Every structure is written in structure tokens, then in C-alpha cells.
Amino acid sequence: MRSMYTPSVKLSEREMLLAASSGVQREVECLRKLESGKNVVSEYEKTYNSVGPGGLWQNHIEGAMGEFAVAKFLGLYPGAITEKDTTDVGDHYEVRTRPLRYQELFVKKKDKPDKYYILVQGSYGDYTLMGWITGFEVFARPEWFHNNSGKLSYNYWVPDEFLNSIETLPKEAPCQKIISSQNLLTSTKV
């Protein structure tokens, strides 16, 4: 990964409690949607992503905490705590929380191209904001769509060297025309 400003964010106990409550709510909604818990893991993995060793409870809770960390850093409201299917933070920031340092940002095929996707790494209230990329840039790279030789579900897996420093995260919504012209200038990355 290129050298970047990667700020750390530590959530307070109250922030963790609020985020965890949001994560539990998501898990309960997931269970309700997936036949009251019958085959919940296999159904979830068909639609979304590999569950991992922490289980769905861990995934949903840590995901919500990562969103809180980004919201705290940016001084914005974590929108996904109140409404299902809304933008995670502010109007155009989607957050992907990964517990381990080596894990890459993933973007789902059904995700929106006109959002910024932010990789957050960490767990249990301690997070590092690793970087960001636009959906337009991700979807322009079909070679990133894979399942890591059957180890994960099919998603776009963004190599770390293509992430932008969090200090350069724009405040306005991404524009495909601007992003496309910038990519032409920086398309020397292999």
C-alpha cells in the first residue's frame, strides 16, 4: 500500500453501545428476512459475503462500529443506524469494516457507483481509516471482480494501492465524468 495518512479513531463506550445496538438490529432484521434463522449463514453468504469466524453478529456489530468511526472522524451523522438501505454516513459515504490489517475493501455488484467506498480496519472500538475509492472507479475494473479462488463470495476486491488517502476524501458527490478523466491520467497503475 502506498504511504498515506491513515487516521485512527477510538470510539467511546457510549458510541460503541449505540453502534452495537444498531448492529444487533441489523442482525435481527437479517434473521427475520432469512426464514427466522433457518440456514441463515448459507442464505446470507449466497446474497452477500463470507461470514467469517466471528459470525453474523460480529459482522453486523463491527460494521456499524466502523460506520460510527467514519462518522466521528468526518463530523457527520451515521445514517444507516436509523434507516435500512440508506447511505452509511452522510449523503455519499459507504463504509466497509474489515477486522484484519491485510483484508481488502470489497464492493458488491449491486452497490451504487455514485458513492465513495471507505475501507476501515479494526475491531472492538479501535479503527483505522485506510482510504477510499469511488464506485465508478471500482466498476470500471472488471478484473477486480472475483472470489479469491473460492475462498470468498464474488465481489470487487480493491487492491490497497488503488485507495486514496482519507485526507483527500471529497465533500461533494462523486461525478463519473471527473473520475473517468482522472483515471486516464493515472492509468499507469498495473
Side-chain angles (χ1 to χ4, degrees), residues 22-43:
S22 175
V24 169
Q25 180 180 357
R26 291 178 196 181
E27 175 60 14
V28 171
E29 289 170 351
C30 182
L31 289 171
R32 183 179 62 231
K33 186 171 97 176
L34 299 174
E35 300 179 36
S36 300
K38 296 177 187 170
N39 304 317
V40 68
V41 171
S42 62
E43 289 300 314

mmCIF file of all heavy atoms in Angstrom, residues 22-43:
data_model
loop_
_atom_site.group_PDB
_atom_site.id
_atom_site.type_symbol
_atom_site.label_atom_id
_atom_site.label_comp_id
_atom_site.label_asym_id
_atom_site.label_seq_id
_atom_site.Cartn_x
_atom_site.Cartn_y
_atom_site.Cartn_z
ATOM 1 N N SER A 22 -27.217 -0.826 16.945
ATOM 2 C CA SER A 22 -27.560 -0.767 15.532
ATOM 3 C C SER A 22 -27.191 -2.076 14.825
ATOM 4 O O SER A 22 -27.951 -2.599 14.007
ATOM 5 C CB SER A 22 -26.840 0.407 14.876
ATOM 6 O OG SER A 22 -27.057 0.415 13.495
ATOM 7 N N GLY A 23 -26.030 -2.628 15.158
ATOM 8 C CA GLY A 23 -25.602 -3.897 14.568
ATOM 9 C C GLY A 23 -26.519 -5.041 14.945
ATOM 10 O O GLY A 23 -26.851 -5.892 14.114
ATOM 11 N N VAL A 24 -26.952 -5.082 16.203
ATOM 12 C CA VAL A 24 -27.885 -6.132 16.642
ATOM 13 C C VAL A 24 -29.208 -5.978 15.894
ATOM 14 O O VAL A 24 -29.803 -6.974 15.444
ATOM 15 C CB VAL A 24 -28.099 -6.069 18.176
ATOM 16 C CG1 VAL A 24 -29.255 -6.952 18.598
ATOM 17 C CG2 VAL A 24 -26.816 -6.488 18.887
ATOM 18 N N GLN A 25 -29.674 -4.757 15.716
ATOM 19 C CA GLN A 25 -30.912 -4.526 14.971
ATOM 20 C C GLN A 25 -30.777 -5.068 13.546
ATOM 21 O O GLN A 25 -31.678 -5.712 13.030
ATOM 22 C CB GLN A 25 -31.244 -3.036 14.942
ATOM 23 C CG GLN A 25 -32.513 -2.726 14.184
ATOM 24 C CD GLN A 25 -32.825 -1.243 14.167
ATOM 25 O OE1 GLN A 25 -32.124 -0.430 14.764
ATOM 26 N NE2 GLN A 25 -33.884 -0.881 13.475
ATOM 27 N N ARG A 26 -29.650 -4.832 12.910
ATOM 28 C CA ARG A 26 -29.422 -5.350 11.550
ATOM 29 C C ARG A 26 -29.448 -6.873 11.527
ATOM 30 O O ARG A 26 -29.997 -7.480 10.613
ATOM 31 C CB ARG A 26 -28.068 -4.865 11.024
ATOM 32 C CG ARG A 26 -28.018 -3.407 10.760
ATOM 33 C CD ARG A 26 -26.634 -3.009 10.304
ATOM 34 N NE ARG A 26 -26.488 -1.571 10.405
ATOM 35 C CZ ARG A 26 -25.400 -0.919 10.064
ATOM 36 N NH1 ARG A 26 -24.358 -1.568 9.609
ATOM 37 N NH2 ARG A 26 -25.347 0.389 10.176
ATOM 38 N N GLU A 27 -28.832 -7.479 12.534
ATOM 39 C CA GLU A 27 -28.809 -8.938 12.593
ATOM 40 C C GLU A 27 -30.215 -9.510 12.751
ATOM 41 O O GLU A 27 -30.586 -10.475 12.099
ATOM 42 C CB GLU A 27 -27.906 -9.407 13.729
ATOM 43 C CG GLU A 27 -27.913 -10.890 13.960
ATOM 44 C CD GLU A 27 -27.470 -11.729 12.764
ATOM 45 O OE1 GLU A 27 -26.897 -11.189 11.803
ATOM 46 O OE2 GLU A 27 -27.717 -12.940 12.787
ATOM 47 N N VAL A 28 -31.012 -8.910 13.622
ATOM 48 C CA VAL A 28 -32.381 -9.378 13.825
ATOM 49 C C VAL A 28 -33.195 -9.211 12.537
ATOM 50 O O VAL A 28 -33.956 -10.104 12.152
ATOM 51 C CB VAL A 28 -33.039 -8.645 15.021
ATOM 52 C CG1 VAL A 28 -34.513 -8.956 15.116
ATOM 53 C CG2 VAL A 28 -32.328 -9.042 16.312
ATOM 54 N N GLU A 29 -33.015 -8.101 11.834
ATOM 55 C CA GLU A 29 -33.692 -7.906 10.546
ATOM 56 C C GLU A 29 -33.262 -8.960 9.538
ATOM 57 O O GLU A 29 -34.069 -9.477 8.769
ATOM 58 C CB GLU A 29 -33.423 -6.505 10.009
ATOM 59 C CG GLU A 29 -34.121 -5.419 10.767
ATOM 60 C CD GLU A 29 -33.668 -4.010 10.389
ATOM 61 O OE1 GLU A 29 -32.678 -3.866 9.634
ATOM 62 O OE2 GLU A 29 -34.298 -3.049 10.862
ATOM 63 N N CYS A 30 -31.984 -9.293 9.543
ATOM 64 C CA CYS A 30 -31.452 -10.323 8.653
ATOM 65 C C CYS A 30 -32.079 -11.680 8.977
ATOM 66 O O CYS A 30 -32.485 -12.416 8.079
ATOM 67 C CB CYS A 30 -29.933 -10.379 8.779
ATOM 68 S SG CYS A 30 -29.128 -11.560 7.697
ATOM 69 N N LEU A 31 -32.164 -12.000 10.249
ATOM 70 C CA LEU A 31 -32.778 -13.269 10.663
ATOM 71 C C LEU A 31 -34.239 -13.336 10.240
ATOM 72 O O LEU A 31 -34.716 -14.358 9.749
ATOM 73 C CB LEU A 31 -32.675 -13.451 12.183
ATOM 74 C CG LEU A 31 -31.287 -13.728 12.739
ATOM 75 C CD1 LEU A 31 -31.315 -13.670 14.267
ATOM 76 C CD2 LEU A 31 -30.773 -15.067 12.270
ATOM 77 N N ARG A 32 -34.952 -12.255 10.416
ATOM 78 C CA ARG A 32 -36.368 -12.212 10.045
ATOM 79 C C ARG A 32 -36.515 -12.404 8.539
ATOM 80 O O ARG A 32 -37.375 -13.137 8.074
ATOM 81 C CB ARG A 32 -36.994 -10.895 10.481
ATOM 82 C CG ARG A 32 -38.499 -10.830 10.183
ATOM 83 C CD ARG A 32 -39.139 -9.534 10.644
ATOM 84 N NE ARG A 32 -38.562 -8.399 9.939
ATOM 85 C CZ ARG A 32 -38.087 -7.322 10.539
ATOM 86 N NH1 ARG A 32 -38.096 -7.207 11.838
ATOM 87 N NH2 ARG A 32 -37.583 -6.326 9.830
ATOM 88 N N LYS A 33 -35.668 -11.762 7.788
ATOM 89 C CA LYS A 33 -35.724 -11.855 6.332
ATOM 90 C C LYS A 33 -35.357 -13.256 5.841
ATOM 91 O O LYS A 33 -35.906 -13.734 4.854
ATOM 92 C CB LYS A 33 -34.776 -10.814 5.721
ATOM 93 C CG LYS A 33 -34.853 -10.719 4.226
ATOM 94 C CD LYS A 33 -34.057 -9.537 3.735
ATOM 95 C CE LYS A 33 -32.692 -9.998 3.303
ATOM 96 N NZ LYS A 33 -31.874 -8.956 2.719
ATOM 97 N N LEU A 34 -34.447 -13.909 6.539
ATOM 98 C CA LEU A 34 -33.956 -15.222 6.105
ATOM 99 C C LEU A 34 -34.613 -16.355 6.892
ATOM 100 O O LEU A 34 -33.950 -17.127 7.575
ATOM 101 C CB LEU A 34 -32.439 -15.285 6.251
ATOM 102 C CG LEU A 34 -31.647 -14.285 5.426
ATOM 103 C CD1 LEU A 34 -30.171 -14.362 5.763
ATOM 104 C CD2 LEU A 34 -31.853 -14.519 3.938
ATOM 105 N N GLU A 35 -35.927 -16.453 6.803
ATOM 106 C CA GLU A 35 -36.679 -17.565 7.377
ATOM 107 C C GLU A 35 -36.443 -17.772 8.864
ATOM 108 O O GLU A 35 -36.223 -18.902 9.304
ATOM 109 C CB GLU A 35 -36.365 -18.851 6.625
ATOM 110 C CG GLU A 35 -36.695 -18.808 5.152
ATOM 111 C CD GLU A 35 -36.334 -20.102 4.469
ATOM 112 O OE1 GLU A 35 -36.485 -21.174 5.075
ATOM 113 O OE2 GLU A 35 -35.895 -20.025 3.314
ATOM 114 N N SER A 36 -36.450 -16.736 9.627
ATOM 115 C CA SER A 36 -36.316 -16.808 11.091
ATOM 116 C C SER A 36 -35.080 -17.570 11.553
ATOM 117 O O SER A 36 -35.105 -18.282 12.548
ATOM 118 C CB SER A 36 -37.574 -17.428 11.699
ATOM 119 O OG SER A 36 -38.685 -16.635 11.383
ATOM 120 N N GLY A 37 -34.013 -17.484 10.807
ATOM 121 C CA GLY A 37 -32.760 -18.077 11.247
ATOM 122 C C GLY A 37 -32.434 -19.435 10.654
ATOM 123 O O GLY A 37 -31.346 -19.945 10.849
ATOM 124 N N LYS A 38 -33.365 -20.057 9.950
ATOM 125 C CA LYS A 38 -33.082 -21.359 9.342
ATOM 126 C C LYS A 38 -32.075 -21.161 8.214
ATOM 127 O O LYS A 38 -32.287 -20.358 7.313
ATOM 128 C CB LYS A 38 -34.363 -21.993 8.789
ATOM 129 C CG LYS A 38 -35.375 -22.322 9.848
ATOM 130 C CD LYS A 38 -36.632 -22.863 9.212
ATOM 131 C CE LYS A 38 -37.703 -23.036 10.266
ATOM 132 N NZ LYS A 38 -38.998 -23.321 9.664
ATOM 133 N N ASN A 39 -30.991 -21.898 8.278
ATOM 134 C CA ASN A 39 -29.932 -21.808 7.262
ATOM 135 C C ASN A 39 -29.461 -20.366 7.039
ATOM 136 O O ASN A 39 -29.129 -19.979 5.937
ATOM 137 C CB ASN A 39 -30.409 -22.398 5.929
ATOM 138 C CG ASN A 39 -30.880 -23.813 6.070
ATOM 139 O OD1 ASN A 39 -30.253 -24.616 6.752
ATOM 140 N ND2 ASN A 39 -32.005 -24.126 5.446
ATOM 141 N N VAL A 40 -29.451 -19.589 8.094
ATOM 142 C CA VAL A 40 -29.173 -18.162 7.962
ATOM 143 C C VAL A 40 -27.784 -17.882 7.389
ATOM 144 O O VAL A 40 -27.630 -17.005 6.545
ATOM 145 C CB VAL A 40 -29.392 -17.421 9.304
ATOM 146 C CG1 VAL A 40 -28.367 -17.831 10.333
ATOM 147 C CG2 VAL A 40 -29.359 -15.922 9.101
ATOM 148 N N VAL A 41 -26.790 -18.635 7.789
ATOM 149 C CA VAL A 41 -25.434 -18.369 7.301
ATOM 150 C C VAL A 41 -25.330 -18.670 5.812
ATOM 151 O O VAL A 41 -24.819 -17.852 5.042
ATOM 152 C CB VAL A 41 -24.387 -19.170 8.112
ATOM 153 C CG1 VAL A 41 -23.015 -19.062 7.472
ATOM 154 C CG2 VAL A 41 -24.339 -18.665 9.548
ATOM 155 N N SER A 42 -25.822 -19.817 5.375
ATOM 156 C CA SER A 42 -25.714 -20.159 3.949
ATOM 157 C C SER A 42 -26.527 -19.186 3.091
ATOM 158 O O SER A 42 -26.088 -18.790 2.013
ATOM 159 C CB SER A 42 -26.140 -21.603 3.692
ATOM 160 O OG SER A 42 -27.491 -21.793 4.049
ATOM 161 N N GLU A 43 -27.699 -18.771 3.557
ATOM 162 C CA GLU A 43 -28.506 -17.811 2.808
ATOM 163 C C GLU A 43 -27.816 -16.450 2.745
ATOM 164 O O GLU A 43 -27.800 -15.804 1.704
ATOM 165 C CB GLU A 43 -29.896 -17.670 3.431
ATOM 166 C CG GLU A 43 -30.773 -18.883 3.225
ATOM 167 C CD GLU A 43 -31.019 -19.191 1.757
ATOM 168 O OE1 GLU A 43 -31.328 -18.264 0.985
ATOM 169 O OE2 GLU A 43 -30.866 -20.368 1.378
#
